[in-house]
Amino acid sequence: MWLKAIFAREFGFSDVQSNYSRVYAWMANQLGHMTLGMVTTFFFVWIADTISSTARLIVDWDGRPRQATGDCEFAIACVANNFLLFLASFIVLAAIAAVCGLGVFGRAVEISPNIAARYRAIALRARRAMHGVLFGLAVIALAYLLFKAMAAPTPAAAETYIDLIGVAAAAFAIGAGIVMLCKDIRYFTCALIAVFGAFWIATSGAGTDEVARRWTAVALAALFFAYAMRATAFGSDIPEKLGGIERVIQAGVITIMAVWFVFGTWNGLEGDWPMAIAAAIASCALWWVKEFGSDLPNVHKEIAAATARRPRGVLGESARVEADYLDDARMDARTDGMFYFAGAWIGAGVLSDTPVMTATSWVSGSEVMGLLVFLAVFLGLGKPWAFRQQALDLAGLSMASRLAVFHAALRIVTIPVEQPLEMGRAERGPAAPYLPEPLDTLRDFARGTGDPGFDHLVIFGALGSGRSPLGRALASEAALADLPTLADWLGEKARARRTARYLNAVRLVDFMRDISVREDIVATPPADLLIDRETGAVTRRKGAYDETRYEREAAATLVVIDDVEPGGGVTPRAIVANLAIEDGQASVWLISDNRFDPTDGCADQADIDRWEPDYREVEDELAAIRAALTVNGRVPRLGVGFTRRFASPARR
């Protein structure tokens, strides 16, 4: 019933079967992150068991193969199992060696100055040294422990070293992933302490004295807690901008990790609990680094690369569109991190013990607690954040794009309503000035956060000039405009509902034909639709309607119309006839026109500086569009833009 209510609200009708594709898009992201957190917990234990079993077979090589084959009903099965055990161990160790080898000898990705200024980026030489040190430590530690196990005087002493070999191999495998992913020394340091803590918990202090084990645990937990709080939550130079709620979440996870560490070592947990908690900590450390030490720096790198490719003096600083993109990416990473955490907790419960309802709540209910955490995050944050996939799908976008990474040359002017557009005047008035921050202005236009100075936007550009990417970016910004942050969800800030639709001109002209066969019902339509509650017949809404008889499917607040060809058979009036302009709908017109890009892109910055397209050269097209968009005598304000390729980067 809960899902059906959501479908009715988000998709217009509640039929679960007809919304399977959107169910998967809606749930796959959250379930995937939870599963990765849980599976990595299992993977840590699997590596430890596999390497330990292989080491045990090597240490007891004289007796175990014969004993195993003698006890087997089918001797070939034991031989095959032993072979697969060695093969699995070889794959694990080879993977660690491959990651380290690529890190030492492979070509590292350059980190731009923009990222380095925000993050304490790990330099190329340091990254190579880290990979080399990790590989050296792995070889020395595993070889030394194997030698000690083979030379142990008793089977019990050998078993201690064998267990250490397995947990050490698992820790090195997680460490290799962290070294490969991490781009910030602060996250790397936190993760390094956490992984060593996982090793300490799983081995109960590596066989040290009980007092030393406990106080070492406390010291390491305090170090992790203090450093992580200072570096990533409450410092003045933390890598990410944090709101109050985000800061509490970050601090809460750090505190839980530190408490887990002390709890797992102080009392000397029994049974499978030490390994279960250690595996959960290792999983959280890896995925925390992936989200905050890798993905977020990559977003900064993407923005920096687009900034470097932009021609100077055309798109301005674009500060607000970049801030929007970074805020969304940060909140996405934080939400994903909470699902990883829930999955790791569930994994720890599964590994710890079989649930017994008559036992204490902690022993029997860890899986249940983990599931409750997952459900709390899923219900509280998952649904609002799933709007990211949902919104792009409903807008008809095949890919996500953001204004923050748009880098083609773009000029935009705003034509006041009183500006005449008739051709053949003896004297033309002065051309309107170019907007100094066009992307930030388009942000306000798409997201509905301010008055950009125009009601509709008309973009002219040749094939390959960036016209379509700009249109997709505008539709993406509108579709994601009300993507809620945690603060929004808690009611600190309300957002107006924004929707978008991206489609080509012919598709819009054929819209009325398509809705007759219900092709557009489950996607955000470009015009208000009325669905007859009894017959299911679909018509376009025109004026008032009987709410008891018809169900209304609201139109998109912004419609982006691509592939409009001037002088073609698809006239502005034919296009507008299928829009709902009378409802205050905004539109973007992307017109294919080679007049403003006679060369194959802008050759250099000087060419860009000389590029001064004049909207008065397209007065016929603008007059036709303005006339079509005029409803009830209300003449709309037009924004006119021109796109052009820029062949060479202006900044390096």
Side-chain angles (χ1 to χ4, degrees):
M1 295 302 297
W2 173 67
L3 287 175
K4 292 184 69 173
I6 290 174
F7 292 149
R9 181 167 60 253
E10 299 294 342
F11 306 131
F13 63 106
S14 61
D15 186 355
V16 176
Q17 295 293 328
S18 299
N19 283 293
Y20 262 151
S21 64
R22 288 172 177 81
V23 173
Y24 297 142
W26 188 78
M27 299 179 71
N29 194 42
Q30 289 83 351
L31 291 174
H33 291 123
M34 184 209 71
T35 303
L36 284 173
M38 182 171 57
V39 167
T40 306
T41 305
F42 299 155
F43 192 57
F44 183 92
V45 177
W46 178 83
I47 292 177
D49 286 347
T50 299
I51 301 298
S52 294
S53 298
T54 305
R56 188 175 295 110
L57 192 61
I58 294 173
V59 171
D60 196 18
W61 186 256
D62 289 338
R64 191 165 296 274
R66 288 195 298 272
Q67 181 182 358
T69 55
D71 291 342
C72 283
E73 184 177 355
F74 300 101
I76 187 63
C78 292
V79 175
N81 286 340
N82 292 340
F83 172 77
L84 291 175
L85 188 63
F86 276 101
L87 178 62
S89 297
F90 172 79
I91 292 174
V92 170
L93 298 176
I96 298 174
V99 169
C100 294
L102 291 174
V104 173
F105 302 106
R107 181 178 179 273
V109 178
E110 293 293 334
I111 298 177
S112 71
N114 305 61
I115 300 174
R118 190 176 185 96
Y119 292 87
R120 293 179 186 171
I122 303 173
L124 175 58
R125 290 185 179 180
R127 291 183 65 83
R128 288 178 171 172
M130 288 176 180
H131 283 92
V133 169
L134 179 69
F135 180 73
L137 284 175
V139 171
I140 294 172
L142 296 179
Y144 173 76
L145 292 173
L146 182 61
F147 172 78
K148 294 290 288 184
M150 296 180 69
T154 63
E159 194 66 25
T160 300
Y161 290 110
I162 287 171
D163 290 340
L164 288 175
I165 290 173
V167 178
F172 281 122
I174 297 295
I178 289 172
V179 173
M180 177 181 67
L181 291 172
C182 197
K183 297 178 175 63
D184 187 285
I185 192 64
R186 289 166 288 193
Y187 292 119
F188 177 78
T189 304
C190 294
L192 191 66
I193 299 173
V195 171
F196 182 76
F199 171 82
W200 193 259
I201 293 172
T203 60
S204 296
T208 61
D209 178 74
E210 182 178 351
V211 175
R213 170 177 61 81
R214 289 181 172 181
W215 287 109
T216 301
V218 172
L220 288 172
L223 177 63
F224 171 82
F225 179 81
Y227 182 84
M229 285 290 195
R230 166 64 179 80
T232 66
F234 291 99
S236 59
D237 60 342
I238 56 178
E240 299 302 331
K241 174 186 175 184
L242 297 178
I245 298 296
E246 291 177 299
R247 204 179 300 271
V248 170
I249 293 173
Q250 185 95 321
V253 173
I254 292 170
T255 303
I256 291 175
M257 293 281 282
V259 170
W260 257 0
F261 188 50
V262 175
F263 178 79
T265 54
W266 186 266
N267 295 316
L269 295 177
E270 298 177 353
D272 294 326
W273 272 110
M275 180 66 81
I277 291 181
I281 290 176
S283 175
C284 289
L286 175 65
W287 296 114
W288 187 47
V289 163
K290 184 263 182 186
E291 291 292 334
F292 293 96
S294 178
D295 286 2
L296 285 181
N298 285 340
V299 172
H300 283 276
K301 179 184 175 183
E302 184 182 1
I303 292 175
T307 303
R309 296 176 66 183
R310 292 173 184 165
R312 288 190 299 269
V314 176
L315 299 182
E317 294 299 323
S318 306
R320 285 191 293 165
V321 296
E322 292 182 1
D324 281 338
Y325 191 15
L326 289 171
D327 285 347
D328 287 351
R330 190 182 71 255
M331 283 303 300
D332 182 57
R334 199 162 305 283
T335 304
D336 292 348
M338 295 181 73
F339 283 111
Y340 289 128
F341 179 79
W345 195 341
I346 295 172
V350 172
L351 290 168
S352 61
D353 200 356
T354 302
V356 179
M357 298 309 294
T358 58
T360 60
S361 60
W362 174 256
V363 174
S364 65
S366 184
E367 299 95 327
V368 177
M369 289 296 296
L371 287 170
L372 290 177
V373 171
F374 168 75
L375 287 175
V377 179
F378 184 73
L379 297 177
L381 298 178
K383 179 194 172 296
W385 270 84
F387 181 68
R388 178 186 297 275
Q389 289 81 18
Q390 214 181 70
L392 298 178
D393 184 26
L394 299 180
L397 293 164
S398 58
M399 63 187 75
S401 181
R402 300 301 295 264
L403 285 170
V405 296
F406 181 77
H407 55 263
L410 173 67
R411 299 284 198 188
I412 291 183
V413 298
T414 300
I415 307 175
V417 173
E418 63 273 15
Q419 175 69 45
L421 292 174
E422 291 79 8
M423 293 289 289
R425 286 177 290 161
E427 295 183 2
R428 290 186 176 185
Y434 298 129
L435 298 180
E437 295 284 343
L439 293 187
D440 281 348
T441 301
L442 292 180
R443 171 212 183 262
D444 290 336
F445 172 68
R447 299 174 74 92
T449 54
D451 183 9
F454 51 86
D455 305 308
H456 303 276
L457 179 66
V458 185
I459 299 291
F460 294 86
L463 180 66
S465 65
R467 185 189 69 244
S468 293
L470 178 63
R472 282 193 292 267
L474 289 170
S476 295
E477 294 292 340
L480 302 177
D482 62 346
L483 182 69
T485 64
L486 187 60
D488 300 326
W489 178 73
L490 293 175
E492 295 180 10
K493 183 173 62 174
R495 296 191 183 197
R497 177 69 170 171
R498 296 287 291 176
T499 55
R501 184 66 188 268
Y502 177 87
L503 69 174
N504 59 40
V506 174
R507 183 75 177 84
L508 180 57
V509 170
D510 293 338
F511 170 66
M512 289 303 295
R513 180 198 65 192
D514 294 336
I515 65 171
S516 63
V517 292
R518 299 178 66 92
E519 288 190 9
D520 263 18
I521 301 306
V522 295
T524 302
D528 277 5
L529 301 180
L530 296 180
I531 305 174
D532 193 301
R533 298 179 186 275
E534 294 182 0
T535 65
V538 182
T539 57
R540 179 191 161 189
R541 182 178 74 86
K542 296 181 179 179
Y545 66 97
D546 184 356
E547 295 185 6
T548 61
R549 178 180 177 184
Y550 296 101
E551 180 181 352
R552 178 191 171 202
E553 185 73 15
T557 56
L558 176 70
V559 177
V560 180
I561 310 158
D562 203 354
D563 297 330
V564 180
E565 296 186 4
V570 182
T571 64
R573 285 211 175 276
I575 296 174
V576 172
N578 290 295
L579 291 177
I581 300 301
E582 64 273 12
D583 294 332
Q585 188 177 54
S587 62
V588 179
W589 302 62
L590 304 175
I591 300 179
S592 177
D593 198 316
N594 292 318
R595 284 177 289 179
F596 305 101
D597 192 8
T599 64
D600 186 18
C602 302
D604 51 30
Q605 183 63 45
D607 190 10
I608 282 288
D609 294 337
R610 292 191 299 267
W611 182 49
E612 296 183 351
D614 190 345
Y615 75 89
R616 294 173 297 182
E617 297 181 31
V618 290
E619 287 178 337
D620 280 346
E621 291 86 347
L622 295 178
I625 293 174
R626 170 169 279 170
L629 295 175
T630 299
V631 178
N632 298 327
R634 181 178 177 272
V635 181
R637 301 172 299 170
L638 293 184
V640 184
F642 306 89
T643 58
R644 191 178 182 189
R645 283 189 299 270
F646 185 51
S648 60
R651 301 176 184 174
R652 297 186 183 276

